[in-house]
Amino acid sequence: RVFRILGVILAGCLLQGCAQLRPSLIDCNDRITAAADGARVNIRTVEQDQPVEARLNGVDAQCYDRGGETVMQVKIGLKVTRDLALNSEVIFLEVPVISAVLDGTEQPVSQRSESFRMAFPDSKGVLYPVVETQMRLPLKGRAVISLSPQRL
């Protein structure tokens, strides 16, 4: 019985220690902005070359500091629409997103482009996907994101 109690106490201590290894995230939505010109773009589907409109539908950023920089975990909400009169079958597409990292003096530090692949189900004209990415920023830096009409 004593060993069982000691086992429970030991397991609790181990779980508490693991919780301390995971960084605590803080809201940092004030450190990410969307470029107005890139909030809405027209793109073409991968295989069918069908026009699709994609627009930003919200951004959520959570951050933690690590080793002299900030790690930003970003969720980007999108609204993607297509004209079912052109094609109502399943179609695949990629939504390119460009991100730039600026330092505390608003100077560019880095930029990158990544594409998020998704599909419209049969007879569905609107999607609301949420895509996730991660960025590393200077401690006083910020990020800017933009949709792009094509992969870079």
Side-chain angles (χ1 to χ4, degrees):
R1 184 172 173 108
V2 171
F3 290 115
R4 188 175 286 168
I5 293 172
L6 287 174
V8 170
I9 292 171
L10 180 61
C13 290
L14 287 174
L15 290 175
Q16 181 64 27
C18 290
Q20 297 301 320
L21 294 176
R22 204 173 310 140
S24 58
L25 298 173
I26 59 167
D27 180 301
C28 59
N29 286 318
D30 59 333
R31 295 181 62 190
I32 187 166
T33 56
D37 292 345
R40 182 185 305 248
V41 295
N42 292 308
I43 55 179
R44 310 289 294 184
T45 60
V46 175
E47 296 161 2
Q48 298 85 357
D49 197 39
Q50 181 178 342
V52 173
E53 182 182 82
R55 73 177 175 99
L56 292 173
N57 199 33
V59 176
D60 181 55
Q62 300 286 312
C63 294
Y64 62 93
D65 293 341
R66 173 178 283 165
E69 66 182 1
T70 299
V71 178
M72 179 182 282
Q73 297 176 349
V74 183
K75 293 182 181 179
I76 303 168
L78 301 170
K79 179 180 180 185
V80 185
T81 58
R82 69 169 171 164
D83 184 353
L84 291 175
L86 294 175
N87 181 4
S88 64
E89 297 175 2
V90 173
I91 59 171
F92 297 94
L93 66 143
E94 290 185 35
V95 178
V97 176
I98 300 169
S99 59
V101 173
L102 307 176
D103 66 14
T105 63
E106 297 292 304
Q107 297 301 309
V109 174
S110 65
Q111 67 179 26
R112 74 174 184 196
S113 174
E114 54 190 323
S115 289
F116 299 95
R117 194 165 167 84
M118 56 197 73
F120 275 100
D122 190 38
S123 300
K124 187 159 185 168
V126 181
L127 295 177
Y128 292 95
V130 175
V131 296
E132 297 183 26
T133 189
Q134 185 173 354
M135 296 180 226
R136 295 187 180 281
L137 315 170
L139 289 176
K140 302 268 187 207
R142 68 183 190 93
V144 179
I145 60 168
S146 176
L147 298 178
S148 175
Q150 60 189 2
R151 290 179 69 185
L152 300 178

